[in-house]
Amino acid sequence: MNQSTGAIRIAGLFPNPGNILRPGGYGKVRAQTRIQKDAILIPQRAVTELQGSYQVALLDSENKVSIQPVEVGERFGSLWIIQKGLKPGDRVVAEGIQHVRADMKVNPKPFVDQASEAKGR
């Protein structure tokens, strides 16, 4: 690792049809560094940042809103891994988050990620 740039030099072998990549060139590599089993993933749009801390709007069994602080992890596409603050089965507000307030009762509908839907077409 180069401490002045933070770069890590990696060598690899892979096909290069048409010699698109030339010697001395640079590229970005994304590598899986770990697998997190049973991770809680929520849409990035459901997370609000407020003065360096993160929070989500949760719904209880009566569809009443409460604001829950969370600790976020890495991003995975348009989803965010939640490290702390949520448990499996918790329902979060993903659309209209700017309009909800604590103790407000809402009429929830299932979230459909239009970006994922567009990729499937």
Side-chain angles (χ1 to χ4, degrees):
M1 178 170 194
N2 184 331
Q3 292 185 1
S4 63
T5 63
I8 299 173
R9 184 179 172 145
I10 297 175
L13 296 173
F14 52 88
N16 186 17
N19 292 325
I20 294 172
L21 298 174
R22 307 294 298 159
Y26 293 89
K28 290 185 180 182
V29 176
R30 194 168 201 146
Q32 180 176 326
T33 57
R34 68 185 169 104
I35 296 176
Q36 185 172 340
K37 292 191 183 251
D38 301 322
I40 295 177
L41 297 166
I42 64 172
Q44 288 179 14
R45 64 187 332 148
V47 179
T48 304
E49 182 182 4
L50 182 64
Q51 298 179 350
S53 62
Y54 298 91
Q55 60 188 25
V56 297
L58 282 181
L59 296 180
D60 65 14
S61 60
E62 298 174 356
N63 297 328
K64 210 170 181 186
V65 176
S66 65
I67 305 301
Q68 175 70 32
V70 294
E71 186 179 306
V72 297
E74 297 176 29
R75 292 182 183 186
F76 182 76
S78 65
L79 302 173
W80 220 329
I81 296 174
I82 302 299
Q83 301 289 356
K84 292 182 184 173
L86 293 180
K87 58 187 180 302
D90 280 346
R91 298 182 304 153
V92 298
V93 176
E95 289 285 341
I97 193 155
Q98 65 275 18
H99 301 294
V100 298
R101 302 287 177 258
D103 296 324
M104 178 184 278
K105 195 165 184 169
V106 297
N107 181 21
K109 294 178 177 57
F111 175 72
V112 177
D113 185 8
Q114 284 130 1
S116 296
E117 208 173 64
K119 288 180 187 175
R121 290 183 191 166

